[in-house]
Structures are given as C-alpha cells and as structure tokens.
Amino acid sequence: MRAPAHRHVDEVFDALADPTRRRVVETLARGGTVTASGLAAQLPITRQAVAKHLSALRGADLVSAQRIGRETHYELRPQPLDEAASWIQMVSAEWDERLEALRRSLEKPRTRAR
C-alpha cells in the first residue's frame, strides 16, 4: 500500500512512465491550451490515443480540461510536477548526506589492532 503523503507523487510517476504521455506533457508545456485533435496533429498517434493519454494525465492531475463549445481544451497543470521534483530533491539530499557520511568514515585514519 502506498503512503498517503506520496500517493500523488506516485500517480505522477505512473503517468509519466509512458513516453507518449511525456511527449504530450512536453507539448502542453510550450503553453496555452490545445484540443485532443490539435495534439494528434502534432504527435504521431491518433486522436483516440491522445484522448486516452490525456485521460491518464488528468487522473494524475497533470492536465486540466475545459469544455468550450463542442471541444475540450487541455492545459498542463505544473503543480504535480513541482511536487514530484520536490520529492526527488528530498531523496537526493538524503543520499548526499549518506554518501558524505561514508566519505568521512573512509577518510578517518585507521588504527592497527595489535
């Protein structure tokens, strides 16, 4: 079972595990809103495949959708990416501390047992 504090970060990593979804995020990161048809025109996949990937990204709260007339416009929500980046920085800092402690321990002068 996933820890509640990291559940949202887990969803972000799950969503970004797919290379096509990462391309969708990169495309959306260029700014503005876009429709599934507009994304399909920019990517080598069908509109239906784009809609499926957008649904997964919405599930991770990485994309917001707004209905305008007959079309749904999608926009990147960067906040979950910021949360994932913060988690990565936290883990990285913990490893930096562990590696520094190991370095210090290896640099200590060794005493010989007699």
Side-chain angles (χ1 to χ4, degrees):
M1 185 169 179
R2 295 176 175 173
H6 297 300
R7 183 187 61 77
H8 198 242
V9 171
D10 292 345
E11 291 171 354
V12 170
F13 286 131
D14 287 344
L16 295 177
D18 183 277
T20 301
R21 286 195 283 272
R22 289 193 303 271
R23 287 203 53 203
V24 169
V25 168
E26 289 169 0
T27 301
L28 291 171
R30 293 185 191 117
T33 65
V34 69
T35 63
S37 297
L39 278 170
Q42 298 177 48
L43 301 169
I45 57 176
T46 66
R47 186 210 166 285
Q48 290 79 11
V50 168
K52 184 177 178 180
H53 289 297
L54 285 168
S55 176
L57 292 169
R58 283 182 72 191
D61 208 24
L62 287 165
V63 171
S64 64
Q66 181 181 7
R67 188 90 175 159
I68 301 174
R70 293 182 1 188
E71 296 182 320
T72 302
H73 291 254
Y74 297 90
E75 186 173 24
L76 182 65
R77 295 191 71 256
Q79 296 85 352
L81 292 172
D82 292 341
E83 293 171 18
S86 293
W87 180 86
I88 290 170
Q89 289 174 343
M90 176 193 69
V91 171
S92 176
E94 289 174 7
W95 273 104
D96 287 346
E97 290 172 16
R98 290 177 184 173
L99 290 171
E100 179 60 23
L102 176 62
R103 184 192 63 75
R104 283 192 309 266
S105 124
L106 293 173
E107 287 179 349
K108 286 183 184 175
R110 295 184 185 180
T111 57
R112 290 187 172 178
R114 293 188 186 217

